[in-house]
């Protein structure tokens, strides 16, 4: 299910993939610490979640303005989130895709957690849309 954002794809892309903005729109984050370099292919950084977890995150593909993918690992869990951007009337649409995997006993929780995670990603993107709408109103 795609989420409509009220700004051009390039603006939405720049905002969503910048680690400095992640804690503003991603509800599970307390802050983001960059490990190396600016937003670029292969950038590595640490996600510090509100739950006190410290998963390793890596931007694995960055193709402006069409697709951005990141991969994260924490203990026996791994997740891959892809956001695809497309122009649309009045802004753009973002199509999120998330894949979760786990090893050992944690594998039993992958399917239900995957369903919840997809809803959380869409809710976070709608939150980002509200922030972007307010930012674009302040600029205009």
């Amino acid at each position: 299910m795609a989420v409509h954002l009220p700004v051009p794809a390039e603006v939405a892309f720049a905002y969503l993939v910048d680690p400095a903005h992640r804690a503003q729109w991603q509800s599970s984050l307390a802050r983001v610490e960059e490990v190396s370099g600016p937003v670029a292919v292969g950038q590595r950084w640490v996600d510090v979640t509100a739950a006190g977890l410290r998963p390793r995150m890596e931007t694995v593909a960055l193709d402006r303005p069409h697709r951005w993918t990141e991969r994260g690992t924490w203990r026996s869990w791994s997740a891959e989130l892809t956001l695809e951007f497309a122009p649309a009337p009045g802004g753009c649409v973002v199509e999120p895709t998330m894949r979760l995997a786990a090893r050992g006993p944690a594998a039993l929780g992958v399917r239900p957690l995957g369903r919840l995670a997809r809803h959380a990603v869409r809710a976070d993107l709608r939150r980002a849309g509200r922030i972007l709408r307010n930012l674009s109103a302040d600029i205009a």
Side-chain angles (χ1 to χ4, degrees), residues 13-140:
F13 182 87
Y15 178 80
L16 291 175
V17 305
D18 188 344
H21 297 143
R22 290 299 291 271
Q24 296 172 8
W25 66 271
Q26 195 168 356
S27 59
S28 63
L29 295 184
R31 68 182 187 278
V32 174
E33 298 173 5
E34 286 191 47
V35 173
S36 64
V39 179
V41 174
Q43 173 199 14
R44 300 179 66 85
W45 47 289
V46 176
D47 233 346
V48 180
T49 66
L53 309 178
R54 291 183 63 86
R56 299 293 295 178
M57 305 299 291
E58 178 180 8
T59 299
V60 293
L62 190 59
D63 183 14
R64 257 177 227 247
H66 306 293
R67 178 180 292 153
W68 172 72
T69 302
E70 76 176 12
R71 183 174 41 231
T73 57
W74 184 73
R75 296 189 183 183
S76 62
W77 291 88
S78 66
E80 184 174 285
L81 172 64
T82 298
L83 301 179
E84 293 192 53
F85 297 78
C92 70
V93 292
V94 181
E95 180 72 41
T97 306
M98 177 173 258
R99 288 185 287 173
L100 295 174
R103 298 182 313 269
L108 296 173
V110 167
R111 184 168 288 161
L113 187 61
R115 288 189 197 114
L116 290 173
R118 284 191 282 276
H119 291 296
V121 168
R122 284 195 286 274
D124 283 343
L125 287 173
R126 286 192 290 273
R127 180 180 183 189
R130 289 190 296 275
I131 293 169
L132 286 166
R133 184 179 303 115
N134 292 339
L135 289 175
S136 61
D138 290 343
I139 293 171

Side-chain angles (χ1 to χ4, degrees), residues 2-20:
V3 176
H4 184 270
L5 300 179
V7 294
E10 295 79 13
V11 174
F13 182 87
Y15 178 80
L16 291 175
V17 305
D18 188 344

